[in-house]
Amino acid sequence: MDDIAAGTALNDAGDIVELVPGVQAAVANGTQVAFQIRGIGAVDHQALTPGAAAVYVDGVLLATNVQTGGLLFDLDRIEVLKGPQGTLYGRNSSSGVISFQTVRPGEDQSRFAEASLGRFDRVDVRAAGGTTLADGIHLRLAGRALRQTSALENVQTSQAVAKGPESAGGETDRFGLRAGLLVEDIAGGELLLRGHYEEDNGTNASPRNSALQVDDFEISIGGDGVQDTDNEFYGISAAWEGEFAEWKLVSLTAIEGYNQQYGFDFDGSPAPFGNDSLNANLSYDRDYLQLSQDLSLQTEAEWGRMLFGASASYDDFSQVYTIWCGELDPATLLGTCRYVGAPGRVGPNPASGGVATTLVTEIDQDRTSLGLFARGDIDLSPRVSLIGGLRLDHETIEGSGQGEHIFDDGTVAFNNRDGAGPAIGGNEIEDTFWSGNVGLNYQFGSGLAYASITQGYKSGGFNGEVANNALHYADEGLFGAETVTAYELGYRSRPTNTLHWSVAAFFQDYDAPQARIFVNFPLPDGSTIVSNSLSNLDAATIYGVETALNWHPVDQFSLAAGLTLLDTEIDQVSDLGGNADLFDGNPLPFASDISATLSARYDWQVSAGLTGGLRIGAKYRSDFFLDAEGLSEREQAGYTTLSADASLRFEERGIEVSVFGRNLLNEDYAVSGFGFIGYNTFRSEPALWGIRARLDY
């Protein structure tokens, strides 16, 4: 487990990959983060694809990758659990767990106000504090507001298309609020109520097409695909904890949800192949609601510890996905030119003499999940303990939808590519999963040696993108669950005041990896377009070694280093529609052979009541592929990111002034990619620097 200390300055969830080796993230559509841990992760942009690294905030699962990019503020700690975690966490933990814990209300809670100004007109304001309302009743409020202009420059590369707006490079306009109420004595236990609300009203950065000749941190698109976002996220939870004899009962009830409206220029170019009629824009309109209930009962005895638990959740997702060319008429949903992919999906019997121009796909999915689990730690001797756990999960997923094309005469018809039937229908997935873990710990002298076998799974589901025909809703059009079994040997030294280190070797057997498959299909004019959907490969294997060091030789200085070495390989035997050779033997996407972190902090006494601080951190990632096809043009070269902070703190007044920098080596790299009229990538932001002032009171 990797712990990220409280007070570490983070912008959003994606920033944690800069601090932990063996963890990477694919970021799409502005703030949509899909984490990869030890080479395993869902490199996919559609919201119906669950993450392989389960993300929790205050114990509540964020079940879609849309929720993972929220603003971070008022955090107490972050935990990264590497390897499958199916026993305690259930679905979507095939690679691990990332857990965010916010500061709890309490008797002596911290209070602060902080503001920073930075490059690209960045303004970032954070504040948190609370009070005791009555004996044993505590309130805490926290908030953050963030604004920033475009960090990427939108340049003109086609004389046929006017230069697009600056906002295409991404504009940030977000704020979030959180409230917590702790009642220390109620119904024989303690009750913690939490609520949060966040808005994202900026503009997502558009992708860059690989065919463009542009410089670092530049994109090039016209103006018709640039759209403002209108996203809101919300949630409430109630956690109750009480003692019954020698048992502790914990209950967590939660509601999470979001509404989204956003879009961007899908082809990443002002005029693909020099033809502005090939332009494609897309938009999403999403609604999501998630209800969950978790119960656990645990005890400690002379022989060890035991935990029993149950979980239940229900979520409802709906989406309207629209693709068009040029300027969109919101009343008719017609563009000012023909979307190049529409005619290929009309099928052999067009319902109209008009020209197909716009595609609209609607999808609704409901998921019900039930789980029972148990875990025990049995002390076989003062030095040896046996750890074991077992979990049973049952999921029912119901989905339905339709895919339509709109003709320029206003006629609407179902897609029917290849004459396989109208693109309307529904289906149901019903899965039962057994997962578990077993391990042996041996304590000796100065540390702990361990051996473990762990399992985890990630749910299947429906593809939420373009529905070409009836097969989209048949079994062939669905993607199945993936499972991982991991074998690990390791050693962790006993933490001391000066030194803590660990080393681990692991092998992961990866069955039915979910992957986005890009397939070319012909258009009526003889050219081709890339169609893609989420599917399952046969298998993959991962070998790895990991080590970490934390050294604190004196009070003023600390050093942390981490290294992960990976060897991943896809094993594809089945035909996969004639595309098996595209995948067999390839490494997994976003799986660098080498990732390493190094950070140092030095604090010193400048004068009486005045201290200085300097922190520097770096992460190196060797080259990796952006998807599972392993094509050279979809490979990201290795790069190093560097960040630093320098501060002065006036202890008596609780005032701290600092300067900060991120991506100080000014690395331009892809944070995710997708195939469509060439290959398109979302890009990193250039170096960011600024000043910050903080008051603790």
Side-chain angles (χ1 to χ4, degrees), residues 276-324:
D276 59 1
S277 69
L278 296 181
N279 168 266
N281 305 312
L282 63 78
S283 69
Y284 295 94
D285 188 346
R286 294 171 175 154
D287 290 286
Y288 178 77
L289 181 66
Q290 169 189 316
L291 312 175
S292 63
Q293 174 64 56
D294 296 278
L295 290 170
S296 67
L297 193 63
Q298 52 190 299
T299 188
E300 291 192 22
E302 293 182 359
W303 49 265
R305 295 148 297 281
M306 181 62 70
L307 179 146
F308 299 95
S311 64
S313 68
Y314 169 81
D315 56 65
D316 177 77
F317 175 90
S318 63
Q319 174 180 276
V320 178
Y321 174 68
T322 307
I323 308 180
W324 72 94

Side-chain angles (χ1 to χ4, degrees), residues 25 68 121 225 240 252 353 383 387 424 450 459 554:
T68 57
D121 298 324
W240 183 88
L252 177 60
R383 292 190 175 188
I387 300 170
I424 184 171
Y450 66 91
S459 302
V554 294

Side-chain angles (χ1 to χ4, degrees), residues 36 39-44 49-50 52 94-95 456-460 478-485 508-517 533-542 568-574 576 583-589 627-628:
Q36 293 79 42
I40 295 176
V43 183
D44 194 62
T49 305
S94 53
S95 72
Y457 76 94
K458 181 157 77 76
S459 302
L478 310 182
F479 61 92
E482 66 178 33
T483 60
V484 178
T485 302
Q508 298 184 118
D509 185 7
Y510 193 7
D511 185 59
Q514 295 172 6
R516 182 154 287 275
I517 309 300
S533 63
L534 201 69
S535 188
N536 295 88
L537 302 174
D538 287 343
T541 55
I542 300 102
T568 69
E569 184 175 353
I570 297 170
D571 182 14
Q572 185 63 35
V573 177
S574 60
L576 201 65
F583 301 96
D584 187 44
N586 293 343
L588 290 167
D627 59 46

Side-chain angles (χ1 to χ4, degrees), residues 76-391:
D76 181 48
R77 68 185 187 277
I78 305 171
E79 299 173 349
V80 180
L81 306 178
K82 297 179 179 178
Q85 305 290 326
T87 301
L88 294 182
Y89 293 94
R91 65 183 172 119
N92 304 348
S93 61
S94 53
S95 72
V97 170
I98 298 174
S99 175
F100 299 90
Q101 294 288 332
T102 63
V103 176
R104 289 166 55 95
E107 188 72 40
D108 298 314
Q109 55 188 306
S110 62
R111 300 176 179 88
F112 74 91
E114 177 183 296
S116 64
L117 303 174
R119 191 182 182 195
F120 311 118
D121 298 324
R122 182 182 180 89
V123 179
D124 189 354
V125 179
R126 315 180 195 209
T131 186
T132 296
L133 301 177
D135 186 27
I137 303 177
H138 312 285
L139 173 70
R140 185 172 184 83
L141 301 174
R144 183 182 177 193
L146 173 64
R147 287 192 174 187
Q148 181 178 305
T149 58
S150 298
L152 305 180
E153 184 180 358
N154 188 20
V155 300
Q156 186 176 16
T157 56
S158 171
Q159 296 303 315
V161 181
K163 183 178 181 295
E166 293 182 3
S167 60
E171 292 187 345
T172 302
D173 183 3
R174 306 172 68 183
F175 77 87
L177 299 171
R178 184 182 299 116
L181 180 69
L182 176 64
V183 183
E184 293 181 344
D185 186 8
I186 182 171
E190 178 184 270
L191 177 66
L192 177 56
L193 302 175
R194 282 185 167 114
H196 71 90
Y197 179 82
E198 180 182 324
E199 283 196 10
D200 177 3
N201 300 312
T203 303
N204 293 337
S206 298
R208 176 198 297 172
N209 193 292
S210 59
L212 296 174
Q213 300 297 316
V214 294
D215 293 329
D216 288 350
F217 308 112
E218 290 183 348
I219 59 171
S220 181
I221 65 166
D224 47 39
V226 179
Q227 303 155 63
D228 292 335
T229 61
D230 184 7
N231 303 338
E232 60 177 3
F233 303 85
Y234 55 87
I236 57 174
S237 66
W240 183 88
E241 181 178 314
E243 302 282 345
F244 294 92
E246 297 180 353
W247 293 85
K248 180 170 75 172
L249 175 64
V250 179
S251 170
L252 177 60
T253 307
I255 300 173
E256 289 286 330
Y258 60 80
N259 306 301
Q260 275 194 310
Q261 291 181 322
Y262 73 94
F264 56 89
D265 185 304
F266 188 38
D267 58 84
S269 173
F273 304 113
N275 184 351
D276 59 1
S277 69
L278 296 181
N279 168 266
N281 305 312
L282 63 78
S283 69
Y284 295 94
D285 188 346
R286 294 171 175 154
D287 290 286
Y288 178 77
L289 181 66
Q290 169 189 316
L291 312 175
S292 63
Q293 174 64 56
D294 296 278
L295 290 170
S296 67
L297 193 63
Q298 52 190 299
T299 188
E300 291 192 22
E302 293 182 359
W303 49 265
R305 295 148 297 281
M306 181 62 70
L307 179 146
F308 299 95
S311 64
S313 68
Y314 169 81
D315 56 65
D316 177 77
F317 175 90
S318 63
Q319 174 180 276
V320 178
Y321 174 68
T322 307
I323 308 180
W324 72 94
C325 178
E327 298 284 349
L328 181 69
D329 185 327
T332 65
L333 297 184
L334 293 175
T336 51
C337 51
R338 186 197 74 188
Y339 163 55
V340 64
R345 293 179 165 96
V346 170
N349 299 303
S352 164
V355 176
T357 61
T358 301
L359 292 178
V360 180
T361 304
E362 300 179 17
I363 184 76
D364 291 281
Q365 178 181 285
D366 296 335
R367 184 194 308 265
T368 302
S369 300
L370 302 172
L372 295 171
F373 59 93
R375 176 187 166 99
D377 298 359
I378 302 173
D379 296 329
L380 302 178
S381 74
R383 292 190 175 188
V384 180
S385 61
L386 176 67
I387 300 170
L390 189 64
R391 185 181 183 106

Side-chain angles (χ1 to χ4, degrees), residues 425-454:
N427 208 333
E428 180 178 288
I429 302 172
E430 195 163 358
D431 277 330
T432 299
F433 303 95
W434 287 95
S435 56
N437 69 290
V438 62
L440 196 65
N441 291 346
Y442 176 62
Q443 297 183 12
F444 62 94
S446 60
L448 174 79
Y450 66 91
S452 67
I453 303 173
T454 58

